[in-house]
Amino acid sequence: MNQHSTKWQSIGGSLLLASNIFVLVLLLAGDRLAVPSWLQVAGRMHPLVLHFPIVLLLIGAVLPFVPMRNPEAVAWRNQVTAVMLLLGALSAAVTVMMGLFLSREEGYSAEGPLFWHKWGGALLLWTASALYWLRNSLKGWGNRGFSLGMIVLLMVTGHFGAVVTHGENFVLAPVTPAFVRPVVPIDQAELFAHVVQPILEEKCMSCHNPGKAKGGLSMKDSVQMLAGGKTGELFISGDPAASLLMLRLHLPDADKKHMPPAGKPQLTEAEIAILHHWIQNGAKFDGKVKSLPPQDTLYQLAAARLTPTGGAEQLDLPHADEKLVAKLNNNYRVVYPVALYAAPLVANWYNRDKFDIGSVKELLPLKDQLTEMHLQKMPVKDEDLALLAQFRELRVLNLGFTQITGKTLGELAKLPHLQRLSVAGTPVAAQQLLALKKAPKLDKIYTWNTGISSTDMQKIQSTFPGVELVNGFISDGQEQLKLNQPEIVNTAAIFKNDMQLIMKHRVKGVEIRYTTDGSAPDSVNSPVFKDSLRLTESTVIRAIACKKGWNVSDPVQYSFSKSTYRPDSITLISQPEGQYTGNGAKTLNDAEKGTFNYSDGKWLGYVNHPLEAVVRFEKAVPLKQVSFSTFRHQDAYIFPPEQIEVWGGKDKNNLRLLRKTSLPPAKQGDPVAPITYNCDFPEAEVSYVKIVMRPLGKIPVWHPGKGGHGWAFIDELMFN
């Protein structure tokens, strides 16, 4: 070994000793040592440099095992080994220091995998340093034993680093059996534990766990989720659009704040929808899936996600034509899938005064998909059962409190798949139930309030050994439940001249209280909703359901807009930007309002240039108002437009300004909400209208995006 080489190794050895001492000081100092910002930058380079010591130390550990007989070759090997060990140990020291700086940032827990990764890295450094200093003293298997120990430490330390970065079992996941969640029947499934939490564990926990709480947020349990992170609450109960969780999920994939980060498994549309509706329903950590109404979107999403029970029947039915299903829905009959994207359908009927058996016959085109019919309280008669027997895929049939007497119950025995039948509240006799013995799959009959005596019930049960007869449940009055929200029967959010608003509730005797002035309804002072409410102007309805002995429902809000004139065409002069292109010009006049999920494909977004559109009426109309349906979501950089212009006339090349409005500036903390702006002007006969909507040119100083451009969103134009 020459003198020059010896000099550099001496300097390197001194640096290595100093580095070891400095690492020990950092470890012992813990949280008592403040890390300046420039060292935090160095700490974030830890993932960039950690590969260098791994390679160098592996070479230095493997070389002693290479057999060499020539003394010169042995000397060369020993010299190269020394250089690799020195460079590897020095780079390991730098890497450990950077890792210790990085571990001091928010979001990393000092316990768990990080603790073992940190001390494993330090022990690896000390082992590599000892091997370098003692290389000439250790002979044969002593040297090799140290080398093997260093390789083991490399693997163990790297494993815990992978756990911190990527979550538990990252290294061995490809060769370990995939975790199979316990099968949970939908009638026993917990909404959060069995539907929501598995999504978070699979797609979010690798970055938001107690060991690596990125952004100060851990999703380990409900307590930590409710605590939120350093940027605030994770979600706002009942308001998914204002919730940080949904905001980050809906950001463009290229956005650095999009979650999960690029390269990580992304949530599916169904998973995002589950989180959205879970928050909308109150983001509760208790409660069962079965407590939701079957046609509730969250129920259907949960049903589609949950694994069927072991003996559950797997239905392989053809999908119905979606347009046909939509056409067959009306104010008094609702047809919907048993679960989102599923083929089997359910049919419910409402309002016995509007019912006739023809409304059942109209569903015969869906007889290969209908697996449930709920006709309770409808005036179904004995002669109608022959028609019901044509729906051969029926599994559930509810005829409770109908007008059947039981004379033709044998018709239902022809249904090859019927499993559950309700004849509750009907005058069906015990002897008539025997006609159902031939039903091959029947396993449950609901017979409460039929007048059948307990003695007769026992006799019938003995003739139906595989069928359960259910006599019902009598409440002891101690249980007080919360009412569901009122339901709007009307499907259109935009009307021409007027509309009859109809709200319903499924629980008998419920009062619906409402307001139209934007105030919150209460159960005492707010007006009671009767059969219907006539709307003649754009109106926001807020409503609750109330009943003695029940808890008041959560409030629900619906917006209805008046648009007297429908244009014959709308042409976009300027095109929407980014992913917010909706359905082009049709978006402005399709009578479909966008939701609080501004990525739902029903909004047009503008940020760098104004919306400009030309509206044409084939026949001139007397126009005096144009309304803009917009959206506000400050956290998503969506602000009210800065200025609106309405131009009109009979000649598209010679339009005059009808109204120009500069809107008031946004205020910090304005809630997430749809906003409609009405531009009124003296009545004018117009065939053409030009619309100009300018987005906010400069975001206020109190906003994180201060000085930049704000987005302006629009989903509908109304003309009156």
Side-chain angles (χ1 to χ4, degrees):
M1 184 179 298
N2 59 45
Q3 187 176 1
H4 183 73
S5 177
T6 304
K7 177 183 177 182
W8 281 109
Q9 287 197 22
S10 175
I11 295 173
S14 300
L15 285 174
L16 184 58
L17 177 62
S19 299
N20 276 268
I21 295 172
F22 185 58
V23 166
L24 182 62
V25 171
L26 288 177
L27 284 168
L28 297 178
D31 295 337
R32 295 186 297 275
L33 192 65
V35 179
S37 56
W38 66 272
L39 276 181
Q40 289 180 2
V41 174
R44 296 188 180 193
M45 295 178 67
H46 173 74
L48 301 179
V49 300
L50 61 85
H51 300 93
F52 291 99
I54 292 175
V55 174
L56 295 172
L57 291 177
L58 281 175
I59 294 174
V62 170
L63 278 177
F65 291 89
V66 179
M68 292 184 178
R69 296 179 181 178
N70 188 322
E72 293 182 1
V74 172
W76 175 86
R77 181 192 64 184
N78 293 341
Q79 186 174 356
V80 173
T81 300
V83 172
M84 293 295 105
L85 289 175
L86 177 58
L87 294 177
L90 285 171
S91 58
V94 174
T95 303
V96 171
M97 293 176 200
M98 289 179 170
L100 292 173
F101 296 150
L102 180 62
S103 69
R104 297 292 308 282
E105 293 194 14
E106 291 185 23
Y108 289 97
S109 169
E111 307 299 325
L114 182 62
F115 172 86
W116 296 109
H117 179 60
K118 182 166 58 177
W119 282 94
L123 188 57
L124 175 63
L125 166 63
W126 296 332
T127 301
S129 301
L131 184 57
Y132 171 72
W133 287 320
L134 300 174
R135 67 190 184 281
N136 295 323
S137 302
L138 297 171
K139 302 295 182 182
W141 281 103
N143 197 328
R144 294 171 185 172
F146 251 89
S147 298
L148 287 173
M150 189 168 64
I151 292 174
V152 172
L153 276 172
L154 266 172
M155 295 175 64
V156 172
T157 304
H159 166 71
F160 284 113
V163 171
V164 171
T165 306
H166 300 286
E168 294 287 343
N169 201 37
F170 173 74
V171 174
L172 299 178
V175 295
T176 53
F179 174 70
V180 179
R181 295 193 172 277
V183 173
V184 182
I186 193 169
D187 58 348
Q188 299 176 19
E190 298 284 341
L191 183 56
F192 177 74
H194 298 129
V195 180
V196 176
Q197 192 171 32
I199 298 173
L200 302 178
E201 288 178 352
E202 182 180 350
K203 302 294 176 67
C204 307
M205 283 286 287
S206 63
C207 291
H208 299 287
N209 56 72
K212 183 194 176 185
K214 190 173 181 180
L217 171 66
S218 173
M219 297 187 181
K220 182 67 175 177
D221 51 43
S222 59
V223 175
Q224 296 181 46
M225 287 178 65
L226 289 171
K230 64 182 182 181
T231 53
E233 296 179 352
L234 180 60
F235 54 80
I236 298 174
S237 175
D239 194 352
S243 297
L244 183 63
L245 173 62
M246 301 311 299
L247 174 63
R248 294 294 174 86
L249 288 174
H250 286 304
L251 286 173
D253 292 350
D255 194 303
K256 65 180 182 179
K257 293 185 178 181
H258 171 80
M259 294 296 163
K264 297 266 188 177
Q266 300 297 304
L267 277 75
T268 65
E269 290 185 10
E271 289 171 338
I272 293 174
I274 286 173
L275 298 179
H276 175 94
H277 289 285
W278 174 67
I279 295 172
Q280 192 172 57
N281 283 24
K284 298 174 183 175
F285 293 93
D286 55 5
K288 294 185 177 293
V289 174
K290 69 178 183 180
S291 66
L292 298 168
Q295 70 270 32
D296 185 276
T297 303
L298 183 55
Y299 179 92
Q300 294 182 29
L301 287 162
R305 183 173 177 84
L306 289 169
T307 306
T309 58
E313 181 182 14
Q314 298 293 317
L315 301 184
D316 185 16
L317 303 178
H319 281 76
D321 184 344
E322 292 184 4
K323 292 182 179 179
L324 175 61
V325 174
K327 183 179 179 181
L328 289 172
N329 276 278
N330 56 40
N331 291 345
Y332 312 110
R333 178 185 61 211
V334 179
V335 182
Y336 57 91
V338 296
L340 209 63
Y341 313 124
L345 300 176
V346 181
N348 280 339
W349 279 262
Y350 308 96
N351 195 332
R352 62 181 295 119
D353 296 332
K354 300 290 185 180
F355 177 86
D356 67 70
I357 196 61
S359 69
V360 177
K361 191 174 183 179
E362 289 173 353
L363 297 186
L364 280 173
L366 301 177
K367 65 180 181 180
D368 293 332
Q369 290 84 26
L370 277 165
T371 59
E372 294 187 30
M373 281 189 178
H374 297 274
L375 288 155
Q376 63 272 21
K377 299 184 180 180
M378 297 298 112
V380 179
K381 301 175 183 177
D382 291 325
E383 56 267 30
D384 299 330
L385 299 193
L387 173 62
L388 295 177
Q390 296 182 43
F391 292 85
R392 306 279 291 175
E393 296 296 335
L394 279 179
R395 271 73 174 169
V396 177
L397 180 58
N398 190 342
L399 297 173
F401 299 92
T402 59
Q403 295 180 6
I404 65 170
T405 65
K407 291 188 297 183
T408 61
L409 271 183
E411 292 286 347
L412 301 182
K414 300 176 183 178
L415 292 169
H417 306 292
L418 184 64
Q419 298 170 359
R420 299 199 301 275
L421 171 67
S422 174
V423 292
T426 68
V428 170
Q431 191 64 28
Q432 293 168 332
L433 287 179
L434 297 178
L436 296 171
K437 287 183 64 176
K438 296 181 180 179
K441 296 289 186 67
L442 191 62
D443 62 16
K444 190 173 291 187
I445 306 175
Y446 298 88
T447 58
W448 50 280
N449 279 14
T450 57
I452 301 175
S453 67
S454 57
T455 302
D456 287 339
M457 194 68 71
Q458 291 176 1
K459 292 179 180 179
I460 298 170
Q461 187 68 76
S462 65
T463 63
F464 284 98
V467 178
E468 179 184 0
L469 300 180
V470 182
N471 287 319
F473 167 76
I474 301 176
S475 174
D476 59 5
Q478 300 299 313
E479 188 178 27
Q480 187 160 320
L481 303 177
K482 186 175 184 177
L483 290 167
N484 294 330
Q485 295 172 316
E487 297 177 1
I488 292 285
V489 174
N490 308 73
T491 57
I494 296 176
F495 60 92
K496 184 175 181 181
N497 296 316
D498 60 7
M499 71 174 289
Q500 290 296 125
L501 173 65
I502 301 175
M503 283 191 287
K504 295 288 185 182
H505 201 279
R506 299 183 178 196
V507 178
K508 189 176 181 180
V510 162
E511 273 188 351
I512 297 177
R513 299 266 182 169
Y514 72 96
T515 62
T516 59
D517 60 0
S519 62
D522 63 62
S523 59
V524 178
N525 300 311
S526 299
V528 178
F529 186 85
K530 301 299 183 182
D531 294 333
S532 64
L533 179 67
R534 183 169 177 261
L535 303 181
T536 58
E537 300 295 337
S538 297
T539 308
V540 175
I541 297 286
R542 302 184 70 185
I544 55 173
C546 318
K547 185 179 181 180
K548 186 177 181 181
W550 294 67
N551 290 327
V552 174
S553 75
D554 292 327
V556 65
Q557 179 173 310
Y558 301 96
S559 297
F560 298 93
S561 300
K562 181 178 180 180
S563 186
T564 307
Y565 306 114
R566 183 178 179 85
D568 293 287
S569 70
I570 298 182
T571 303
L572 290 177
I573 300 174
S574 61
Q575 298 304 313
E577 302 175 70
Q579 61 180 334
Y580 310 111
T581 57
N583 194 22
K586 292 181 180 179
T587 305
L588 301 176
N589 193 38
D590 59 5
E592 290 188 24
K593 288 293 193 75
T595 66
F596 276 53
N597 173 12
Y598 53 86
S599 296
D600 63 4
K602 296 181 180 179
W603 292 98
L604 300 184
Y606 290 84
V607 63
N608 293 311
H609 57 261
L611 157 71
E612 292 188 60
V614 174
V615 180
R616 183 181 70 87
F617 296 93
E618 188 172 322
K619 184 179 179 181
V621 298
L623 198 65
K624 57 182 179 181
Q625 183 190 74
V626 177
S627 298
F628 294 68
S629 177
T630 70
F631 188 56
R632 178 180 62 209
H633 192 328
Q634 291 179 356
D635 289 340
Y637 291 59
I638 303 172
F639 292 85
E642 189 171 65
Q643 191 177 77
I644 291 174
E645 298 175 13
V646 179
W647 300 71
K650 292 186 177 182
D651 180 358
K652 67 177 180 180
N653 296 317
N654 188 24
L655 302 178
R656 63 185 180 89
L657 183 63
L658 301 178
R659 179 68 185 269
K660 182 177 181 179
T661 302
S662 295
L663 302 176
K667 298 178 181 178
Q668 188 172 6
D670 281 342
V672 177
I675 310 171
T676 299
Y677 294 103
N678 298 322
C679 288
D680 299 299
F681 41 83
E683 184 176 299
E685 286 281 333
V686 299
S687 297
Y688 293 91
V689 177
K690 181 179 178 181
I691 302 296
V692 180
M693 183 185 75
R694 303 185 188 280
L696 184 63
K698 192 174 183 180
I699 296 177
V701 294
W702 44 261
H703 191 274
K706 61 183 178 181
H709 296 294
W711 282 88
F713 273 45
I714 185 167
D715 67 342
E716 199 74 21
L717 291 170
M718 283 78 71
F719 303 91
N720 296 293

